[in-house]
Every structure is written in structure tokens, then in C-alpha cells.
Amino acid sequence: MTAAKDSEVTADTIHTEVEDIIIPPSDLWSDEPPVESDLHREQIELLLACLKWWWRNRNDFYASGNLTIYFSPEQITTRDFRGPDFFVVLGCENRPRKSWVLWAEQGKYPNVIVELLSDSTAKVDKGTKFELYQETFRTPEYFWFHPVTLEFQGFCLVSGKYQPIEPNSQGWLWSQQLELFLGIHESKLRFFSPDKQLLPTAEERAALAEINAEDERQQKELAQQQVEELKARLQALGVNLENTDE
């Protein structure tokens, strides 16, 4: 009898505890301020457009910019948000989101973060955010870039601490997470493939297609000109070209 009562008490207690669990909301809008300048906005859009094109056949990543990352339910009331200028999460569904809510995303933090420095944010990006991404997010790779001064640096997480990524001869930094180089090209932070080819924008791809089409047209014209010259020489030698197909 006692055992039965104990069992009932335990079941009721468990039921009550389950009912008391409060699940924080996950359908949260981003709460980031506007970017500081056109240079910052254009840089974010550039990185997103090039990476999404390069990975256009993949559905296992999420890339965004200036979007709130909710990593603690307390942020909802304290409003202590963090919204990296550019970040990539690997191993997740590629779909639109209002924000990145950690408890709705299997606890996944960004694999790569890029912050765009400015005179007003550099101290935070190099201090508070550096420590947050290292100690709490444990993001494997963190980069920062200043669109005006072109200051550029990257770090990878080694034994829990960020270590500087050594640049190659072009000054580019290798991202093991993205399997791409990041480097400065025409005063912009750009991606480069493992074989050191620039990941093009839509405009650059269109221009390249136009150049290739023009090259093809010129090659056809040259080939046709060579055929006509050959025919003229053969005719001069008395060759009857009208019967050559028989």
C-alpha cells in the first residue's frame, strides 16, 4: 500500500514539474539597428550573394547578416542581443528566418562570424564580442574587416582560445569551415576558391559570359575567314570545289 502511494506521489510530482516547465518563445523577430553606412551594407550583401551562389546546390547551411542571435532566454527581457554583421551556420536547414534562436536550432552557434569594424564599434568587436564568440559561442572562426581602413584579421579556435590565422602570400586568410579564402579585392572583402579564383558577383558573372560569347563569336568569324581563304587558294590552283563532296 505504501509503495503504491509513493508511486502515485512520484507520478503526480513528475506531472506537476512537467507542467511548470516554461518553454521560451522561438518565433522572434530580429532586433538589430541599421548598419552604419552604405559601405557596411554593401559589404554584407556582397558576402552573402557570393557565398549563396557558390553553395547554390547545398541545403545544409544558413548564412545571414545583421540578424539577431538569441542565445539565452534572458535576452528576451534584458535585450542583451548580439547580431553579427555576417555569419554562417553549418549543418542546418537552409530556409528564411526572422532571427537565429539557439534553442530552436538544436543549440547550434555560428561556425563563422565576420564583423565589420567602424570607429564606433571596433572596441566592442575586438573586445566584448571577441570574448563572447570565443568563450560562449565557441565559434570556430572569427574575422573582422574595416571597410574604410581595410584592416583585416582572422582567428581560429584552438584549445578554446582564438589564435591568429596566418595569411598566404596574397594576404588572404583560409577558412577551414567554409573551405574558402577570405581576402581583400578592390577594397572589398571577398571569397576566393581553394584554387584561388575569385567568387564572382552576378554582375561579374554576366560580364564574363559576355566576354566568353564575344570570344566565341570572334573565333567563329576567324574560322570562317580561314575557310574562305583556303577555298580561294584551292580555286587558284584549279581545284573544282563543287565536286569535292562526291
Side-chain angles (χ1 to χ4, degrees):
M1 189 68 175
T2 302
K5 287 183 178 180
D6 289 344
S7 176
E8 290 177 1
V9 170
T10 302
D12 289 341
T13 302
I14 293 173
H15 180 67
T16 301
E17 290 176 351
V18 170
E19 288 182 341
D20 290 342
I21 293 176
I22 299 175
I23 300 176
S26 58
D27 190 27
L28 300 171
W29 286 101
S30 180
D31 194 27
E32 295 305 303
V35 293
E36 295 208 3
S37 71
D38 287 344
L39 281 177
H40 289 75
R41 174 179 52 78
E42 291 168 1
Q43 179 64 76
I44 294 171
E45 292 172 350
L46 178 61
L47 292 174
L48 286 172
C50 291
L51 184 67
K52 288 182 178 181
W53 172 79
W54 183 251
W55 284 353
R56 58 195 178 279
N57 296 321
R58 291 180 55 170
N59 193 41
D60 62 346
F61 75 97
Y62 177 70
S64 189
N66 198 41
L67 194 83
T68 299
I69 294 178
Y70 293 96
F71 58 93
S72 169
E74 295 178 357
Q75 292 172 292
I76 301 173
T77 55
T78 63
R79 303 185 67 79
D80 182 21
F81 307 138
R82 281 293 175 263
D85 291 319
F86 172 85
F87 67 92
V88 181
V89 185
L90 302 176
C92 64
E93 184 182 358
N94 186 5
R95 59 177 174 80
R97 291 168 171 84
K98 297 177 180 178
S99 62
W100 186 263
V101 182
L102 207 73
W103 52 90
E105 303 287 354
Q106 301 180 332
K108 289 182 177 293
Y109 283 98
N111 293 75
V112 176
I113 289 177
V114 178
E115 291 288 3
L116 302 179
L117 305 180
S118 68
D119 293 342
S120 62
T121 66
K123 185 176 181 180
V124 173
D125 292 334
K126 295 180 179 181
T128 304
K129 286 189 175 182
F130 184 97
E131 293 179 3
L132 177 70
Y133 300 156
Q134 174 182 264
E135 304 296 336
T136 302
F137 283 27
R138 303 192 69 75
T139 293
E141 294 173 349
Y142 175 39
F143 301 86
W144 65 56
F145 172 69
H146 198 306
V148 178
T149 67
L150 306 186
E151 178 184 347
F152 176 46
Q153 195 164 355
F155 306 87
C156 61
L157 201 64
V158 179
S159 301
K161 297 297 180 182
Y162 277 140
Q163 301 297 328
I165 300 174
E166 293 297 324
N168 66 3
S169 58
Q170 289 96 341
W172 305 344
L173 304 181
W174 174 251
S175 169
Q176 186 63 46
Q177 295 292 309
L178 303 179
E179 296 185 328
L180 292 169
F181 288 102
L182 285 88
I184 300 172
H185 174 75
E186 296 182 349
S187 300
K188 299 289 187 182
L189 185 62
R190 301 292 299 269
F191 291 117
F192 298 84
S193 65
D195 61 353
K196 300 183 178 180
Q197 298 300 308
L198 179 70
L199 269 60
T201 63
E203 293 79 7
E204 289 165 345
R205 295 195 299 274
L208 181 60
E210 186 175 342
I211 292 172
N212 290 338
E214 178 63 19
D215 286 345
E216 185 178 354
R217 184 188 65 80
Q218 291 180 359
Q219 289 174 5
K220 287 181 178 179
E221 288 182 353
L222 178 60
Q224 184 61 36
Q225 181 181 349
Q226 291 173 341
V227 168
E228 295 300 329
E229 290 176 352
L230 178 59
K231 284 182 177 180
R233 289 198 296 269
L234 291 174
Q235 288 175 344
L237 293 172
V239 177
N240 185 358
L241 298 178
E242 294 180 359
N243 299 324
T244 55
D245 293 334
E246 296 180 359

